[in-house]
Amino acid sequence: MADLTRRLFVHDGLRVVSVGLALPHLFTKAVQAADLEAGRTPSVRVERGNGDLLARRTIVVVQMAGGNDGLNAVVPHGDSAYRDHRPTLGLGPGDVLPLDERFALHGAMGGLHRLWGAGEMAIVHGVGYPKPSYSHFESMDVWQTGAVEAHNREGVLARLVKDVVDGRGHPFAGFAASRSVPPALASPDLSVSAVENPATFAFVPDKRHVVDGASRHDALLHLSTAPGMGGGFHQAFASTARLAHDTVATVQHAHAAYAPLATYPADGFAAGLRLVSEAICGDLGVRVAYITLGGFDTHAGQKATQARLLGTLSDGLAAFWADLQAHGRADDVLVMTWSEFGRRVPENASGGSDHGSAGPQFIIGKGIRHGHWGAPPSLSDLDHGNLRHTTDFRSVYATVMEGWLGAPSVELLGARFPRLGFLPMHALGG
Amino acid sequence: MTSEDRTAVLALLRRVTFGMPPEEAGRYVALGYRGTVDALIEEARGDDRDLDAYLGTLELDLTTLAGLQRWWLVRMLRTRRHLLERMVLFWHGVLVSASAKVGVPRATPEMPNPPRHLLVQNQLFRALGLGQSRDLYRAIVHDGAMLIYLDGRDSRKAKPNENFARELFELFAIGRSGPDGRPTFHEDDVREASRGFTGWSVSKDGEVQFRPNQFDAGTKRVFGQVGAFGADALIDLTLSHPNHAVHLCRRLFRHVIDDRPTEDDLAPVIAAYRESGGDMARTVRALLLSPAAMDPARFRGRMRSPIEFVVGTLRTLGMPDIGTNLPGILDRMGQSPFNPPNVAGWPSGERWLSPSMWLERVNFANGVATTRKGARSDGLPIAAIVPPAARVSPEAVVDAITARLLDGRLSSEARATLVAYARQGVTWPSGRTPRDDELAIDRKARGVIHLVLAMPDSHLA
């Protein structure tokens, strides 16, 4: 099997070839070989019903890193307590885009406001977990592993991919538009493609010495993957090198074949979304895609910073959605945002807000039930200035896992969490 | 000098320096392990006058991030104070400030000399990085870059900003939980301590000022102690927290040795830190002389960060001239100097590996191996790395290259793979003309350098 891997490398690693579905199949064999080599039980695919419909479906997870101020994103403009807590940070009627008499979106979120108007967005209110941590890293860890108490080594989305949607080690089942694998998708037993820029996602050949290119790549792969190479980091090097050489040509091919059918903003977040669209429209088999927009830790000067970031989020997602629609793929995609916490309800003296607890999540999709889900937290009954969460974040995961991908949430989350109504029970397509 | 001593010294240099050519490493080997530890610490007390003078000739634009990055990278590539420069990188990853938020102000007609907060902070790490930790922690409270990065400049008596106090406790000095898993501090400690860090501001031209009327001089309760604490007193309270020494020594251990320190591994380091009152030179010395550090089974147990790999490669190959594209390469590998991804600093271990980041390392290796003499640099000194005496067989070429880049330490299977590659396509000895031989062997040697730099061993320390 190691020979197969190397032959693949020599024949496919250096040239752009059309691989279609053959590559994942071959890749599967390489992964199984690696499993056996490492003394592991080869991963087994869990076959489930509704195969055709579910197999096309993708979730796109958008992390708003730093702790988004939910109160100034989904503004409770009908609540007088909002302005009392936020005399300077509060958004007035001219700064927001009303959804109804109770809530409005931040004025920078015109793109998502249009999706709301089209009935393709839901908002989940008051999402958090018991005994919230005000540490970025602890709270991210909770969300990323899907566990409040236990410390799981694996990301919750990694478990979703490898235990349910694709147990065969398909290299693009998990896909991150970033240079590193996000913790939510990280597992020692899962290969996830993390690509930031297709232009540099390549083996740059030695132009002065092309004659030994094949044998050099052969040697490189052997040095990176053969048993014992890399000492204590053997598995990490071996799986990374295999994944790189098995995916480079496919990424290049999809990149060359794709043309966006919407105009994306010129920022890095939009570039990442474009890459996700490229992977989905290029039929790479993406089931869980991941992208991060950072900078939401607005302790000071929040107004300008958050307006810029929410504009980036909203404009990027609107372009992404338009692109998917034009490609005829929007029916297959569900977008879910999250942030590690919301922020303190009373503003601070720096024109910002400190770490808080619960916050809203945005859900975008054509198959969803539009509207508000989860109870909006009270602005008068606070816990040390923080919102009391009303919706457990694992309920949102459970709803998406079961309702969109047909995945058994109890196994993945370790307990049953009530499903929310934004995905109807029949969304399985049965 | 036994071969074990030699191996240990070379492993030590790989851990706590940015690399050096074999001639220089040989001078340390002659000193033995303890002698090398002492020499590295002693050298850190000296100056870097030649380097300072050289930097002056480069006319770098320090009002841009790329200019700042080049300034620091040149220091790493050319310093004679090996250990100190590594400690600057260590502290940058602990007491984090990032250019993404701090900014690098451009010169304008109104302000021809804009503040250089990140440069000033970097020099602070250089001045105090091996001194008393208390001096450094006290100084970082009112460091301009830190006041901007964690919002201390906006923290006022009326409404203190919690950002700095929280990260000081959680990431910089104490950690979230102790060895027993219990929380080391509580929300009230953060809120109360924040009051004592109020009063600092940063003016537009970069001057840090203390404004007594914005300082909350009232009584605070922090870690069960009650007093009218100000910044210095709060730092002292923080550093006397029982988990501080554990937290800092663990971070140091992970920066130098590996990611798996046990309580026993840390015990001598923590003891030295406490007994010396936070003397970093004595703490580092205790770490390097600890049983864990000297255990050959733990050599090469740590993933090198991109900066270590890139700078180490260039120094070891004798290529001290920095290319203009180095900041971009490091960014794509995931480690942009002066710009860590978040307040926790950079990751470690396997998190440095993804296909994207690995390809960037592999392609950098190829770029280095094929660098020819040009206007900006002398290129790869291939004649020095593979001298005529080594150009006689594939084995000799591989051994010359791996002796330099891997201290000669690699598995027999890896060596066999490299030799087979070197043999293929070249007739050893050749029946062709000497000129053809020279070209073919030169290309092969460069190919071997590419492979050696790309193979896992080159990414471990």
Side-chain angles (χ1 to χ4, degrees):
Chain A
M1 276 306 186
D3 273 338
L4 166 77
T5 311
R6 258 178 305 171
R7 245 190 352 263
L8 244 183
F9 190 73
V10 172
H11 294 307
D12 295 339
L14 298 174
R15 276 175 271 129
V16 174
V17 291
S18 176
V19 285
L21 290 172
L23 180 61
H25 176 65
L26 290 173
F27 183 84
T28 299
K29 292 188 176 175
V31 167
Q32 285 168 344
D35 280 342
L36 290 169
E37 201 172 80
R40 292 190 302 270
T41 310
S43 34
V44 178
R45 176 178 169 79
V46 180
E47 295 288 354
R48 283 170 202 282
N50 304 299
D52 286 352
L53 176 65
L54 295 181
R56 276 206 315 272
R57 284 187 169 173
T58 301
I59 59 171
V60 177
V61 178
V62 180
Q63 179 181 354
M64 300 161 74
N68 173 45
D69 182 27
L71 279 180
N72 273 18
V74 181
V75 182
H77 66 147
D79 191 335
S80 63
Y82 169 71
R83 270 176 298 282
D84 295 344
H85 286 302
R86 300 201 156 178
T88 58
L89 203 56
L91 299 173
D95 308 320
V96 299
L97 300 166
L99 302 174
D100 45 45
E101 67 282 0
R102 287 189 72 186
F103 291 103
L105 290 184
H106 188 291
M109 302 174 78
L112 292 190
H113 192 254
R114 282 192 298 281
L115 289 182
W116 175 272
E120 294 175 354
M121 186 166 92
I123 296 172
V124 187
H125 290 270
V127 190
Y129 55 90
K131 289 191 215 157
S133 168
Y134 304 109
S135 150
H136 292 291
F137 304 96
E138 278 198 345
S139 199
M140 280 187 197
D141 192 57
V142 165
W143 279 82
Q144 287 159 343
T145 60
V148 171
E149 300 282 341
H151 285 277
N152 290 337
R153 277 185 69 214
E154 292 181 319
V156 63
L157 300 175
R159 293 202 299 280
L160 173 64
V161 172
K162 79 185 180 65
D163 292 348
V164 184
V165 299
D166 194 312
R168 296 172 304 171
H170 181 318
F172 294 106
F175 181 87
S178 57
R179 62 174 70 108
S180 57
V181 176
L185 267 172
S187 159
D189 303 323
L190 179 69
S191 293
V192 169
S193 290
V195 182
E196 186 178 48
N197 179 2
T200 56
F201 193 76
F203 290 94
V204 178
D206 180 355
K207 293 192 180 69
R208 291 173 196 262
H209 199 188
V210 286
V211 286
D212 80 349
S215 71
R216 195 190 298 183
H217 276 260
D218 196 3
L220 170 60
L221 193 70
H222 188 73
L223 289 166
S224 305
T225 62
M229 301 291 183
F233 293 95
H234 167 71
Q235 196 191 336
F237 277 106
S239 64
T240 302
R242 277 195 192 99
L243 187 58
H245 94 75
D246 280 348
T247 56
V248 158
T250 313
V251 168
Q252 299 292 337
H253 183 66
H255 186 56
Y258 164 86
L261 297 176
T263 306
Y264 283 86
D267 54 67
F269 178 67
L273 286 169
R274 217 188 101 142
L275 195 56
V276 173
S277 172
E278 192 170 303
I280 291 171
C281 298
D283 285 322
L284 298 194
V286 177
R287 308 303 311 283
V288 179
Y290 201 94
I291 184 168
T292 300
L293 175 62
F296 285 94
D297 193 20
T298 49
H299 288 273
Q302 174 175 309
K303 266 197 166 171
T305 304
Q306 200 197 14
R308 175 174 56 76
L309 290 170
L310 291 177
T312 301
L313 176 87
S314 171
D315 294 348
L317 285 175
F320 175 66
W321 199 246
D323 190 21
L324 289 177
Q325 283 187 308
H327 278 98
R329 298 306 292 268
D331 286 346
D332 304 333
V333 176
L334 182 128
V335 179
M336 173 187 122
T337 68
W338 71 276
S339 191
E340 69 265 29
F341 43 60
R343 306 193 75 82
R344 193 76 43 81
V345 178
E347 65 190 40
N348 66 22
S350 320
S353 52
D354 292 319
H355 299 184
S357 50
Q361 281 182 270
F362 300 110
I363 310 286
I364 298 166
K366 286 189 173 297
I368 62 158
R369 283 199 187 128
H370 162 83
H372 299 281
W373 302 96
S378 163
L379 294 188
S380 46
D381 176 27
L382 300 177
D383 172 18
H384 292 85
N386 290 317
L387 299 173
R388 296 182 192 277
H389 85 279
T390 58
T391 309
D392 195 292
F393 74 110
R394 288 163 293 187
S395 272
V396 182
Y397 276 141
T399 308
V400 171
M401 285 168 172
E402 288 181 9
W404 195 248
L405 297 176
S409 73
V410 179
E411 286 169 40
L412 291 166
L413 298 170
R416 174 161 300 287
F417 292 91
R419 274 179 63 171
L420 299 162
F422 62 81
L423 279 173
M425 295 300 281
H426 58 78
L428 279 178
Chain B
M1 181 60 50
T2 67
S3 70
E4 287 80 13
D5 288 339
R6 179 187 160 77
T7 301
V9 172
L10 293 173
L12 170 67
L13 295 175
R14 207 172 164 86
R15 282 169 165 167
V16 298
T17 76
F18 281 113
M20 59 189 73
E23 316 82 75
E24 194 180 347
R27 290 200 291 274
Y28 288 106
V29 168
L31 300 174
Y33 190 90
R34 280 173 180 274
T36 299
V37 171
D38 290 337
L40 290 169
I41 290 172
E42 192 53 39
E43 285 160 9
R45 297 199 171 98
D47 61 45
D48 244 336
R49 252 176 266 173
D50 295 351
L51 172 56
D52 295 333
Y54 174 73
L55 271 166
T57 67
L58 294 181
E59 298 182 352
L60 298 170
D61 180 0
L62 298 178
T63 66
T64 65
L65 176 59
L68 279 184
Q69 291 174 320
R70 294 184 65 201
W71 177 88
W72 189 8
L73 287 165
V74 168
R75 297 202 85 94
M76 295 187 217
L77 282 161
R78 291 175 174 259
T79 185
R80 298 165 60 82
R81 302 184 293 188
H82 296 285
L83 177 63
L84 181 63
E85 205 56 40
R86 279 300 303 276
M87 288 302 288
V88 173
L89 182 60
F90 167 72
W91 283 116
H92 179 47
V94 174
L95 306 175
V96 171
S97 301
S99 65
K101 179 159 175 184
V102 175
V104 184
R106 300 304 308 257
T108 61
E110 298 80 51
M111 198 185 295
N113 293 303
R116 298 169 179 173
H117 294 299
L118 287 165
L119 186 82
V120 170
Q121 186 185 74
N122 194 265
Q123 292 284 39
L124 178 69
F125 295 149
R126 205 163 279 107
L128 300 178
L130 276 169
Q132 298 291 319
S133 64
R134 172 166 318 213
D135 295 338
L136 181 51
Y137 277 95
R138 283 184 169 197
I140 207 70
V141 173
H142 51 86
D143 169 75
M146 186 61 76
L147 284 170
I148 296 171
Y149 185 62
L150 291 182
D151 303 308
R153 64 170 167 175
D154 294 309
S155 189
R156 291 188 279 277
K157 181 180 177 179
K159 281 188 186 174
N161 189 302
E162 295 173 7
N163 209 3
F164 177 75
R166 182 183 306 282
E167 308 304 6
L168 172 71
F169 292 171
E170 177 181 337
L171 297 167
F172 296 176
I174 298 175
R176 280 290 295 187
S177 53
D180 55 2
R182 293 164 63 90
T184 49
F185 61 91
H186 300 282
E187 279 302 301
D188 288 343
D189 295 321
V190 173
R191 293 182 195 223
E192 291 281 286
S194 301
R195 298 170 50 209
F197 289 119
T198 52
W200 298 97
S201 69
V202 184
S203 74
K204 207 169 184 187
D205 54 5
E207 203 186 328
V208 173
Q209 295 156 328
F210 182 69
R211 296 174 300 174
N213 59 328
Q214 295 292 351
F215 170 64
D216 182 345
T219 304
K220 298 112 190 163
R221 183 183 183 89
V222 178
F223 306 140
Q225 308 277 316
V226 178
F229 305 126
D232 283 355
L234 284 166
I235 288 298
D236 294 353
L237 267 179
T238 305
L239 301 196
S240 57
H241 188 289
N243 212 51
H244 164 62
V246 181
H247 180 77
L248 185 65
C249 291
R250 182 186 292 120
R251 293 209 57 168
L252 185 65
F253 190 102
R254 294 180 54 177
H255 189 79
V256 174
I257 310 296
D258 61 36
D259 273 338
R260 294 176 302 280
T262 64
E263 269 186 57
D264 285 350
D265 291 341
L266 292 174
V269 192
I270 293 168
Y273 183 75
R274 287 187 173 138
E275 283 159 19
S276 68
D279 183 303
M280 291 308 296
R282 287 168 66 179
T283 306
V284 170
R285 188 170 191 279
L287 169 67
L288 299 179
L289 295 175
S290 72
M294 297 175 73
D295 176 2
R298 293 177 81 158
F299 295 165
R300 302 236 178 125
R302 180 174 62 81
M303 192 82 77
R304 293 167 98 187
S305 73
I307 290 175
E308 279 183 271
F309 167 64
V310 165
V311 176
T313 295
L314 295 175
R315 279 194 82 133
T316 307
L317 290 173
M319 302 170 74
D321 289 314
I322 173 176
T324 50
N325 52 356
L326 219 47
I329 289 171
L330 284 168
D331 184 36
R332 292 194 297 276
M333 287 182 188
Q335 194 177 30
S336 189
F338 290 111
N339 199 19
N342 56 51
V343 63
W346 284 293
S348 64
E350 296 174 359
R351 303 246 11 238
W352 285 124
L353 281 183
S354 76
S356 292
M357 296 192 285
W358 182 75
L359 282 168
E360 202 62 48
R361 290 190 185 213
V362 170
N363 291 335
F364 168 77
N366 194 28
V368 166
T370 54
T371 305
R372 262 74 172 182
K373 188 175 169 62
R376 285 177 183 278
S377 87
D378 291 335
L380 179 75
I382 188 76
I385 298 165
V386 188
R391 298 182 174 223
V392 293
S393 69
E395 288 85 356
V397 168
V398 167
D399 290 345
I401 289 166
T402 53
R404 177 179 291 255
L405 289 170
L406 297 177
D407 308 332
R409 272 167 52 93
L410 73 165
S411 72
S412 56
E413 186 181 354
R415 180 173 177 273
T417 305
L418 292 167
V419 169
Y421 162 77
R423 174 169 289 120
Q424 197 241 0
V426 177
T427 314
W428 300 82
S430 156
R432 287 173 285 172
T433 67
R435 176 67 189 151
D436 285 344
D437 281 356
E438 203 181 301
L439 276 177
I441 292 171
D442 179 90
R443 284 174 178 163
K444 264 303 177 195
R446 289 173 187 271
V448 172
I449 289 170
H450 174 206
L451 287 173
V452 171
L453 288 175
M455 65 191 272
D457 305 68
S458 283
H459 305 273
L460 302 175

